[in-house]
Amino acid sequence: MNVNPLSPPQDEAAFPHDRLEHVIALANGKGGVGKTTLTSNIAALVAAGGARVLIVDVNAQGNIGEDLGYTGRDEDDDGKGLVDAIRYGTPLVPVRDIGGRTGLDVVPGGAEIRHLPAHLFNLFADTGDLGTLALARCLLPIAGDYDLILIDSPPENRPLLQLVLGAAHWLVIPIRSDDSSRKGMQQVAFEFARMRRVNPDLELLGVALFASGTGARRIREDVRRDVLDDFGGQDFMFETVIRLAEAPARDARRRGQPFHELEVAAAAGPTPFDVLRGKADRSQMVAGTAGAVAGDLAALTREILTRRQERLPELEAATQ
Amino acid sequence: MIDNEADESDRTSGGAATPRRMPTQNLGGLFGPPNRTADLGSLARRATPRPAPTPESGTPAVPRPALAPVPPQADDASAPTPTPVPAPEPPSAPVSVPAAAPARPIEGGRADLSPTGTVRITAVLVSPAVADRLAKYRRGAADRTNTSIVLEAFDEQHQRVPELIARARAAAQPRGSLFPARDDTLHLPGGGGIQVQIRPTVAQLEVIDRITRENGLNSRSQLVAAVLNEFLPGRKDR
């Protein structure tokens, strides 16, 4: 079935948002706060746990491809499939089992996404707020194939952010400890409130602190307090903090592997002793701290999924 | 104090101490790699089942759609060439072009956005069996891509292309008819409705297109599918 986003807008109340209950968007108006890293790693972890997971990369940089190692390969279409689906209503067909990872499918992003905002301005002008459901409409036919769908959103791009929030049920906001990423969080909050008129099911799932030093306890407490204040006393922060670890972060992108795969590679790879004895090259080594970051990511994933499971009955009860 | 008591109990009646043996424990699991994902799959699943997609809206997750629409065989409305990409463009090349004619791609491809600009992303339509064999063969080596396999297949099989086409023409010949079948209804084994994406360079694509033209075909996709069918291990389409 072709889902044509240009077709006359449906009645807002008739849009089956409940069929997208398992869609989580990661968004922050600021770049470099961990949206892509969290998206790729959470998705890969859940898929490795046996579920079927889809990543939708709404990002012109297409960094999900670097995280999962498919950049420049045959399956990397630079986002054209996604752009065509939104512009022309062609079916959204994900790349299956990306990089041989069973259960992990991807709709790639990339340079083609740059063509999308200009189209969206026209679409939104023609169809009003309901145009922001274009991605949601594209996802509907395939959403039932997945246990979880994660959407990586771009920074500082309002029309694309609206598109993402129109398709999501849950929002996770990654932040770093600087004030700029809190500003980015506030931008998302304003857009969130606006998008709720079109997508009344949209809910904030939580805020995740990303790349914070393990010794920076006071900074972490300050961030938690600031975020608490930002949300009027409601505690949306996840307990798990993803630690700052530059070496494994660099290795992960260079090798195109999520951290839990990197952890296995580090255990199987050469040791510093092998390098000293000339048995291996330094470039073959993988940072040993990958396992610690993988542990953080798994804990955060567990927390996100658990919170979603806890919130669902509350929301269902509230709507009955 | 506890140690002393234990020592007492371990002494034999003769007063001589026997060596104590600590019970064996399986600690291997404690030092093994942590299983970080064990419970995450089940956590992702909802307790209540999600509404199933309606039959008309269900899109099976098949290999991704063509980046450039690949036209089905010309004038062949009856040929089973399902494709997820609507509104295919008509073929843009003549059936037969002299070899000296300026080479240009037979079917549209999308120029890559890489700085070199020499890669052209395009797609071919293959049968489900060929798609499976291709995927299996690709997994056989880490550096294999769809593109490298297609080029390898042509390197190995290009001399057999005339034979493949002759065989297909013979098969298409209506029994008892004086008239040869039209070439535009030619069915080469290996073709189908599954789209496979390749990224050859413009120069590589020109070689494939030249072979296509030299053999009087008007569809690059048809030829690539047939060559893959002959090359890939496994049961061949007939």
Side-chain angles (χ1 to χ4, degrees), chain B residues 176-228:
Chain B
S177 171
L178 291 173
F179 305 102
R182 288 168 59 123
D183 253 7
D184 52 12
T185 60
L186 199 64
H187 172 71
L188 285 174
I194 305 293
Q195 300 193 8
V196 172
Q197 192 174 311
I198 56 174
R199 298 166 71 104
T201 64
V202 171
Q204 289 165 342
L205 202 60
E206 279 176 2
V207 172
I208 297 174
D209 288 350
R210 181 172 53 77
I211 298 172
T212 310
R213 286 191 297 268
E214 282 174 356
N215 286 282
L217 296 175
N218 60 0
S219 166
R220 175 201 306 148
S221 170
Q222 204 182 15
L223 177 68
V224 174
V227 168
L228 281 175

Side-chain angles (χ1 to χ4, degrees), chain A residues 4 18 68 75 78 80 100 104 112 130 145 152 184 190 216 223 228 272 275 286 291 296 306:
Chain A
N4 187 358
D18 58 318
L68 298 178
E75 54 268 41
D78 291 329
K80 189 164 190 308
L104 181 56
E112 295 282 333
L130 292 182
D145 296 340
D152 183 25
F190 290 130
V223 172
L228 201 68
V275 174
V286 178
D296 292 346
T306 307

Side-chain angles (χ1 to χ4, degrees), chain A residues 175-179 181-182 185 205-210 212 216-242 300 303 307:
Chain A
I175 58 165
R176 295 191 67 166
S177 55
D178 58 305
D179 280 349
S181 60
R182 273 184 56 228
M185 180 181 77
L205 194 54
V207 178
L209 181 56
F210 179 80
S212 170
R217 215 175 110 191
R218 195 167 147 200
I219 291 178
R220 289 180 177 193
E221 285 169 5
D222 286 349
V223 172
R224 185 172 291 277
R225 197 181 51 244
D226 288 341
V227 172
L228 201 68
D229 290 345
D230 286 339
F231 285 100
Q234 292 184 76
D235 188 6
F236 279 105
M237 284 286 286
F238 291 108
E239 288 297 324
T240 309
V241 175
I242 308 300
L300 178 64
E303 210 178 332
R307 189 176 290 186

Side-chain angles (χ1 to χ4, degrees), chain A residues 50 74 77 146 263 302, chain B residues 36 39 45 50 64 146 197:
Chain A
D74 285 335
D77 71 352
Y146 296 97
E263 179 184 21
R302 197 165 288 114
Chain B
R36 304 201 186 278
D39 58 333
R45 293 192 187 98
R50 200 170 302 122
R64 37 183 324 88
N146 289 345
Q197 192 174 311

Side-chain angles (χ1 to χ4, degrees), chain A residues 1 21-22 49-50 73-74 76-77 80 91 93 95-96 112 141 145-147 263 291 295 302 308-309 316, chain B residues 34 36-37 39 41 43-46 50 56-57 59 61-62 64-65 67 84 110 113 145-147 197 199:
Chain A
M1 182 184 82
E21 179 282 313
H22 53 313
R73 295 182 70 93
D74 285 335
D76 182 9
D77 71 352
K80 189 164 190 308
V93 184
V95 182
R96 285 196 72 160
E112 295 282 333
D145 296 340
Y146 296 97
D147 296 304
E263 179 184 21
R302 197 165 288 114
R308 170 187 163 223
Q309 282 193 344
E316 281 167 5
Chain B
R36 304 201 186 278
T37 61
D39 58 333
L43 268 177
R45 293 192 187 98
R46 288 186 59 183
R50 200 170 302 122
E56 71 273 15
S57 68
T59 303
V62 292
R64 37 183 324 88
L67 296 171
R110 186 168 61 85
L113 295 166
T145 63
N146 289 345
T147 312
Q197 192 174 311
R199 298 166 71 104

